[in-house]
Amino acid sequence: FDIAFAILFCAGVLVEILADIQKALWVKRGRKGDFCTDGVWAVSRHPNYFGEIFQWWCLFAFSYSSSNNGYADPLWWVGILSPLFTMQILLTMEPTGLCNAEGKNLKRYYDKCPERYSKYRENTSILIPMIGYKYVPMFLKRTIFFDFEKYEYKPKSDGSVKNDGLES
């Protein structure tokens, strides 16, 4: 299993690097299309975050072979804190990660190209790169795919933005 998890770890690194390079090239070319849909951005709205989280889960799984008692090794279980901490930061912390990239910060897309961006959101996974996301039932999107309601853009009728109980 070590080789498999090493390969998967490298795949996570590759996804993160590709996402960053593709986004940088898109910005350098003048941000054509208002939002990035190049490469891995066509199958994930945040492939760089996926790559980061995936790497830490692969390292946790990879460390199993070095544990003394397998599942009974308490030190191996302590290792789960690293991917969970990474997910905590990228999925729930307001100043960074998805909370910063989604929600009220999507206003710029809904102001410039509301139909196109709505379609992109409906058809593209928030995190896990995949094709056919539009066919995934909402209850799965809201659970195992991490597309939580708090990441939705919710304009109020008076023009201000409501996001997870916060107004701006």
Side-chain angles (χ1 to χ4, degrees):
F1 287 110
D2 285 355
I3 292 173
F5 286 118
I7 290 169
L8 289 172
F9 173 82
C10 290
V13 171
L14 185 62
V15 166
E16 187 175 8
I17 290 170
L18 273 174
D20 289 342
I21 289 171
Q22 290 166 346
K23 184 93 175 237
L25 290 173
W26 174 77
V27 168
K28 189 176 182 178
R29 288 191 298 263
R31 298 177 181 257
K32 289 187 171 47
D34 298 316
F35 55 92
C36 186
T37 57
D38 296 351
V40 292
W41 295 89
V43 292
S44 172
R45 296 195 315 261
H46 302 286
N48 49 347
Y49 297 153
F50 168 78
E52 179 75 21
I53 291 168
F54 190 69
Q55 289 170 53
W56 286 108
W57 280 110
C58 287
L59 284 176
F60 169 65
F62 183 77
S63 70
Y64 179 79
S65 66
S66 65
S67 66
N68 292 329
N69 300 321
Y71 292 116
D73 186 350
L75 286 178
W76 181 71
W77 284 105
V78 169
I80 201 169
L81 295 176
S82 184
L84 290 175
F85 181 69
T86 301
M87 288 181 73
Q88 170 71 18
I89 290 171
L90 293 177
L91 298 178
T92 65
M93 303 286 286
E94 286 273 337
T96 188
L98 292 178
C99 288
N100 186 48
E102 296 282 324
K104 65 184 175 187
N105 292 317
L106 296 177
K107 182 180 187 313
R108 64 186 183 266
Y109 301 128
Y110 285 103
D111 285 350
K112 287 176 117 177
C113 50
E115 293 83 21
R116 231 169 39 84
Y117 194 73
S118 289
K119 185 176 179 184
Y120 175 68
R121 276 182 65 84
E122 289 170 15
N123 295 324
T124 311
S125 170
I126 193 168
L127 193 65
I128 302 168
M130 67 176 292
I131 296 169
Y133 187 70
K134 66 181 172 184
Y135 303 111
V136 174
M138 185 57 75
F139 78 93
L140 291 177
K141 289 179 180 182
R142 295 285 194 235
T143 54
I144 63 173
F145 288 97
F146 307 107
D147 205 342
F148 304 130
E149 190 173 358
K150 72 179 186 173
Y151 300 139
E152 296 290 328
Y153 171 68
K154 299 175 187 171
K156 288 174 47 175
S157 58
D158 65 0
S160 61
V161 177
K162 182 180 182 198
N163 186 35
D164 202 33
L166 302 174
E167 295 181 21
S168 61

